[in-house]
Each structure stands twice: as structure tokens, then as C-alpha cells.
Amino acid sequence: MDKRKTSLATRYFRLMKKIYDLKIPFLPKVMFHFMRIIFSCEIPFQSNIGEGTDFIHNGLGVVIHPEAKIGKYNKIMQNVTIGGRNGRGAPHIGDYCFIGVGACILGDITIGNNVMIGANAVVINDIPDNMVVVGIPGTIKKTTNESLIGKFKD
């Protein structure tokens, strides 16, 4: 695991995921409900979340679909929704992404690597690598010239 300081909610999710992977069925479910009460977030143990991904502000208000796939070294701010849309699957998010406060990523879509999603953006379409997305619905505003990799690994 990454040696940098991670939020308590992130560490709690990792522990819940390890117990789930050990095929202990009851404990992760209890821990999930405890997480909802203590951290006010819904990060299911079935989610596939890559190493180094961190939930800022202990994941306050974050809701993630159980089938969502989130890559490595992402920063997810508070009140973010990563969920399905009309029963059509869950999002796939690449590596080194930043998801701003209150953003909604909905449906069976793919978000590329090094993508920045602005605060309160509603993303319902695929986003290629190295883009900045803002607005409702989320539209590409510019291409990022600089990789986010160095900023998130420190």
C-alpha cells in the first residue's frame, strides 16, 4: 500500500475489501453499514478501486455503484456520485483522475486517464484521456498539457 497519508475512510474501505476477498460474508456487510453511519458515505466493498485512490474529507457524501471500476491514484472529493443510470451499468474511471466536489458520473461510461472533472459537473458521456470536463451536462473545455501523475503520487 502507498506510504503517504490516506483518509480514514479510504483505509476503512481497504480493510473491508480485504475481509470481503477472504470470503468472510457477514463482516463486510456490517462494516458497510457502520461506514454509512460514521463517514456518511456509501462505498461498497464490491467496488473495484485501485491503489492510491483517496477519498478527500473521509468520503463525506460519496456514493459509488458496487460495479464501478476506479483506477489508481485518483482523488475523489466530497459529495461525488459514481453510479448507474436507468439500469445501464456503472462507470469505469481511469488512473490519475481528479473528481471535484459534487460531481456526478452516471451510466456505463468510460473516463480516461489524467482527467479532471470540475465541481458539480454531470458526466454522462465517455471522456478521452487528458481532458478537463465541466458543466451540466459535462463538456470538454480543454486538454491538459501536463500529466497529473506527479501531483497525485506525492
Side-chain angles (χ1 to χ4, degrees), residues 89-107:
H92 298 261
I93 299 172
D95 301 334
Y96 305 102
C97 295
F98 175 84
I99 303 172
V101 175
C104 293
I105 302 170
L106 304 172

Side-chain angles (χ1 to χ4, degrees), residues 83-124:
R85 191 173 127 204
N86 297 329
R88 288 189 254 158
H92 298 261
I93 299 172
D95 301 334
Y96 305 102
C97 295
F98 175 84
I99 303 172
V101 175
C104 293
I105 302 170
L106 304 172
D108 187 14
I109 62 173
T110 301
I111 306 295
N113 299 324
N114 302 318
V115 172
M116 296 181 81
I117 298 174
N120 294 316
V122 178
V123 182
I124 56 174

Side-chain angles (χ1 to χ4, degrees), residues 42-71:
E42 191 167 315
I43 306 171
F45 49 88
Q46 301 97 328
S47 298
N48 186 358
I49 300 175
E51 71 172 297
T53 293
D54 199 9
F55 299 99
I56 309 303
H57 300 292
N58 283 322
L60 180 66
V62 172
V63 178
I64 297 180
H65 193 283
E67 297 173 12
K69 291 186 175 129
I70 301 172

